[in-house]
Amino acid sequence: MGGFEPMAVDRALSAWAFTIAVFTVAWLIHLLFSSAAWIHPELLGSSAYVWLYPGQESFAQMLRKVFDWKGFDPNVNRVRPLNDVFEVIDAIARPYITHLVGPQAALNVSTVATIVAAPSLLFAWLKRAMRSWELALTLTMIFIASTGFLSLTVAYLHPAKKVNLVLLCAALLFAQRDRDGSPGRNFLWLQICLICSTFADELGLASAPISLASYLKRISESARYTIFQPTPFDRLFGKHDLDHSPAYQAFDFMTRLLSPYQLNPTDANPLRDLLVELIDFERLQHVTTVKLYVCATNARTGKIRVFQPQEICADVLLASSCLPALFRAVEIGGEAYWDGGYMGNPAMFPLLYGCQASDIVLVEINPIRIDEVPTTARAIMDRVNDISFNATMMREMRTIAFVTQLLDQHRLIGKTRYRRIDFHMIEAEQQMGRFGVSSKFNLDWGFLTQLFDLGRKTADSWLERNYDRLGHESTVDMQKLFF
């Protein structure tokens, strides 16, 4: 058994069996009473929003919305009271910490407790297991310097992950102490750690969460054997464009001669099946706390169609990304739709009139500004598309900037529905500008992970710089950017 005592193995198995049993019973109880709300701090904010900004609902409907956990969180199997307790503690302690050390968003009780307790418990376990404090200290220092541990200090991270890490380190220590025969109720504490870690984060028994990484992986796997692949020359020099790919060049030429109705008479679109498989649209349509709007352009009238959260389905997502030179128009309710970017990229008015948030964050994908003038036919066409896509957004933003200026100058007086909106933009123009138009057809896994990592790194960097300014001021100069 590699040095493990049979008694210790039996105890470990008993601990896991007991934990799984408690885990299952709790989940079944929650499943039977899933219509009732769990006490969660975020419910306070959700309730306030319902009462302060009522729609057309009656009092009974509003009351039901306040106490409807399904309406608050689509993951009805989430039970994490330990996370909730630390969220309350962090919220209570935040003003006192700010008074002592200033506005440090990442500094809270759960973070401080984690960076002290987790390495201490890990060191104690390693020292017992390896019988060498020098080696244990070295491994603990490597652990502290790791990206995984340092990421726990990110300001917007829920306490659940931090609590789980501390409980894991504690469980390892108690398991080692029980194996060594140390005095104390180590086996009981091991069981408590395992059970508590279960209720620190989502149960996740009913359905696994869908992440962007899994979506990108499936996209890459579905395109593994397509003709759109980087050439050995591109891979050798680290290029992600397909400019040297004969297949891409042939396809680009064909799209200039034939329409999608001729190239794809059966309207085959593998993305539709993938979306249906990965996204539970029925659950998505019943989410009320976070509103998702999707825009598409009516191919006949040229008007924008904003699909409401309860209308979101696979066809709506396909319509919102339907480039007419590559895909046939998507039929919804007897109307044909193209990419929504032609009339709104994105449309701002649903966020202004349908939401009460005072901050809007734009995530820029296609650069507004570029360093070099495009010279190839394809690059020129792509830049024209970028400009036309951004044109409606630029006009809308100019209007919003003008109204904001009037509000700041107190020139809009009396009863008005206008309110001040702070705008923010997360962008990586310099990095994204290096990718040519043909890179949009590159579904190589290495390239997709590079884009994924770039997005995470850019968002983390932006939050570190601007988190304290949210809710107080805009972080972009709208006059400089849109005028």
Side-chain angles (χ1 to χ4, degrees), residues 177-324:
R177 286 172 58 90
D178 181 68
R179 178 176 179 268
D180 295 341
S182 301
R185 298 182 177 181
N186 297 299
F187 180 66
L188 176 62
W189 284 112
L190 170 60
Q191 290 179 321
I192 292 175
C193 288
L194 295 176
I195 295 172
C196 289
S197 64
T198 298
F199 294 100
D201 206 349
E202 288 81 357
L203 293 178
L205 289 180
S207 60
I210 303 168
S211 66
L212 177 60
S214 65
Y215 172 76
L216 293 177
K217 183 65 175 177
R218 291 296 304 276
I219 290 289
S220 178
E221 290 176 351
S222 65
R224 182 181 301 174
Y225 302 107
T226 64
I227 60 176
F228 300 115
Q229 300 289 340
T231 63
F233 176 81
D234 294 326
R235 296 180 187 275
L236 180 64
F237 290 94
K239 291 175 61 65
H240 300 289
D241 298 336
L242 301 179
D243 295 338
H244 299 92
S245 170
Y248 169 76
Q249 297 294 341
F251 177 78
D252 182 48
F253 177 74
M254 292 295 293
T255 56
R256 299 168 189 258
L257 298 178
L258 302 174
S259 76
Y261 293 86
Q262 297 166 312
L263 291 174
N264 187 11
T266 60
D267 195 20
N269 192 336
L271 186 58
R272 177 181 284 105
D273 296 334
L274 187 60
L275 290 173
V276 172
E277 178 184 350
L278 292 179
I279 301 177
D280 188 344
F281 287 102
E282 184 177 355
R283 287 175 59 186
L284 184 63
Q285 292 169 358
H286 290 85
V287 176
T288 58
T289 305
V290 178
K291 297 182 179 180
L292 173 63
Y293 298 99
V294 178
C295 301
T297 303
N298 191 305
R300 291 191 313 103
T301 65
K303 295 180 179 180
I304 189 171
R305 166 77 182 276
V306 179
F307 290 93
Q308 301 298 312
Q310 63 272 17
E311 298 177 300
I312 305 301
C313 62
D315 284 338
V316 169
L317 298 184
L318 293 175
S320 70
S321 58
C322 176
L323 296 176

Side-chain angles (χ1 to χ4, degrees), residues 260 318-328 338-339 342 385 389:
L318 293 175
S320 70
S321 58
C322 176
L323 296 176
L326 301 178
F327 303 100
R328 299 174 58 167
W338 286 339
D339 195 307
Y342 292 109
N385 284 335
F389 269 43

Side-chain angles (χ1 to χ4, degrees), residues 22 35 79 122 247 257 314 323 336 345 408 415:
V22 175
S35 60
V79 185
L122 184 68
L257 298 178
L323 296 176
N345 190 39
D408 291 341
K415 186 176 181 181

Side-chain angles (χ1 to χ4, degrees), residues 75-102:
N75 184 5
V76 298
N77 300 286
R78 184 165 81 167
V79 185
R80 47 183 195 180
L82 285 181
N83 171 78
D84 304 342
V85 168
F86 274 95
E87 281 189 339
V88 173
I89 293 175
D90 289 343
I92 294 174
R94 186 171 293 114
Y96 299 98
I97 295 176
T98 303
H99 178 72
L100 291 175
V101 299

Side-chain angles (χ1 to χ4, degrees), residues 2 8 20 31 56 100 109 120 126 161 206 232 273 303 333 389 392:
I20 293 174
L31 188 63
Q56 303 298 322
L100 291 175
V109 175
S120 301
L126 291 172
K161 314 305 177 188
D273 296 334
K303 295 180 179 180
F389 269 43
T392 53

Side-chain angles (χ1 to χ4, degrees), residues 429-441:
E429 285 194 340
Q430 185 176 0
Q431 296 89 333
M432 295 297 292
R434 294 199 298 263
F435 303 133
V437 57
S438 61
S439 65
K440 298 178 180 179
F441 290 84

Side-chain angles (χ1 to χ4, degrees), residues 5 15 34 50 76 78 125 145 166 185 199 206 298 307 374 394 451 454-455 476:
E5 299 289 343
S34 58
V50 171
V76 298
R78 184 165 81 167
W125 169 60
V166 174
R185 298 182 177 181
F199 294 100
N298 191 305
F307 290 93
M394 298 284 280
L451 293 177
L454 174 62
V476 294

